[in-house]
Amino acid sequence: MTGYSDVYFDSHDLRVKLYARDYGGDGMPVICMHGLSRNSTDFEVIAPRLAERYRVIAVDQRGRGKSGWDAEPANYSPALYVQDMFKLMGELGIARAALIGTSMGGIMAMIMAMIAPQALIGMVINDVGPEIDVKGLERIKSYVGKSPPITSWADAAARAKQTNAVAFPDYSDDDWLAFARRTYHERDGIPVSSYDPGISGAFDPDGPVVAPPDMWGIWETLKEIPVLGVRGELSDLLSEATFGRMLETHPGMRAVTVANRGHAPMLDEPEAISAIEAFLADLAGQEK
């Protein structure tokens, strides 16, 4: 199964029209949420595979992909995104779901679990945790919202490699082109970025990057929620020490480290897929 249906819905504050891919499928609902500058295409490998057993939805947050851009950059905030996700669940008649969240999407998953634990079956959090390493934030700030002029898909692939080679050191030219096609779309024959540059407002353009307040308090509330943590072996955002502390403080957490990947694994790696499939199968079994 490779197809999906387009879903358009209003954001919870009615400011923008949002978009999601509905891969269909029967069984436990699984909602996939991307990172800061990414979109639903990040899940185009794993989503159809999971849809053979589950109801899979991959969402474009506001300002990304096919979702509308918000005229107020301050609204690019996980606190608002999670309300959009609850709105989507309501419109689709989903009372409880498992979540897969990459980076920002993982932060969203933790917030959703804190706000409405009864609505979550469990969650996969990909290369993020309650404490964020400033080194990763500095790297992200260096490129988000600052793309140079792109005139061809070769340019887009080169830019993707320039900003992400540290995370995917074994990628081929074909891999970088595929990466670019997930993060750009074509307009009048020219690739253009698939996100609103306004999402970079989270970073002070003139000041140093400051690590956000830690979320260990939120993490403490999640002990009854099944969690699979995924970490890239080379990650500069989720440190090995933080990942270890997450395991120590969450008795039911499972963990997998993806070799030769930085921030963040694409979840098309065999070890990531195997861990996610086993985790979701256990969740679905407990729901019966």
Side-chain angles (χ1 to χ4, degrees):
M1 177 179 177
T2 58
Y4 55 84
S5 300
D6 297 325
V7 174
Y8 290 92
F9 64 105
D10 289 323
S11 62
H12 79 281
D13 53 9
L14 305 180
R15 290 183 60 89
V16 292
K17 185 72 73 173
L18 302 178
Y19 171 81
R21 292 180 172 191
D22 184 350
Y23 286 87
D26 297 320
M28 180 178 70
V30 178
I31 298 175
C32 303
M33 303 181 299
H34 58 75
L36 177 66
S37 62
R38 310 295 279 276
N39 57 70
S40 59
T41 62
D42 268 9
F43 303 98
E44 63 187 8
V45 172
I46 195 170
R49 180 168 177 147
L50 296 179
E52 295 175 5
R53 296 182 226 176
Y54 311 112
R55 170 78 184 281
V56 180
I57 313 292
V59 188
D60 288 347
Q61 303 303 327
R62 63 178 74 192
R64 287 86 164 176
K66 294 183 179 180
S67 287
W69 291 12
D70 198 310
E72 177 49 69
N75 290 330
Y76 290 135
S77 162
L80 296 185
Y81 304 150
V82 300
Q83 298 300 328
D84 293 336
M85 296 303 94
F86 287 130
K87 173 94 171 343
L88 173 63
M89 290 174 66
E91 294 201 4
L92 296 180
I94 296 173
R96 282 167 53 81
L99 305 178
I100 300 177
T102 292
S103 192
M104 181 187 77
I107 293 172
M108 291 169 57
M110 288 190 285
I111 296 171
M112 291 174 71
M114 178 186 67
I115 293 173
Q118 73 282 358
L120 266 67
I121 302 168
M123 60 184 179
V124 179
I125 51 176
N126 180 20
D127 212 63
V128 74
E131 193 169 325
I132 296 175
D133 196 316
V134 73
K135 293 193 298 293
L137 293 177
E138 288 171 343
R139 181 177 58 82
I140 292 169
K141 178 186 176 182
S142 73
Y143 67 81
V144 168
K146 302 175 183 177
S147 183
I150 300 294
T151 60
S152 68
W153 282 108
D155 283 351
R159 176 62 176 172
K161 181 176 181 179
Q162 179 187 16
T163 56
N164 293 279
V166 66
F168 305 97
D170 59 352
Y171 264 25
S172 66
D173 289 345
D174 287 344
D175 291 326
W176 288 120
L177 180 57
F179 192 106
R181 290 191 178 278
R182 294 186 183 111
T183 50
Y184 292 82
H185 62 276
E186 197 164 291
R187 182 185 300 158
D188 299 327
I190 301 297
V192 296
S193 177
S194 289
Y195 67 83
D196 179 356
I199 67 169
S200 65
F203 298 106
D204 180 350
D206 302 316
V209 174
V210 178
D214 71 57
M215 295 171 283
W216 289 111
I218 294 177
W219 184 251
E220 284 293 319
T221 71
L222 309 185
K223 290 183 178 180
E224 301 303 315
I225 305 290
V227 173
L228 169 63
V230 180
R231 179 179 182 269
E233 179 187 28
L234 310 177
S235 179
D236 58 2
L237 194 88
L238 175 60
S239 73
E240 192 172 2
T242 296
F243 201 47
R245 182 177 169 187
M246 291 165 67
L247 277 166
E248 291 173 0
T249 54
H250 191 302
M253 178 178 163
R254 301 186 192 182
V256 60
T257 297
V258 181
N260 212 29
R261 287 290 179 269
H263 183 77
M266 287 300 302
L267 306 184
D268 58 3
E269 302 87 358
E271 61 264 57
I273 291 174
S274 295
I276 291 170
E277 288 184 331
F279 178 71
L280 293 180
D282 286 347
L283 293 183
Q286 294 167 15
E287 282 292 287
K288 291 181 179 178

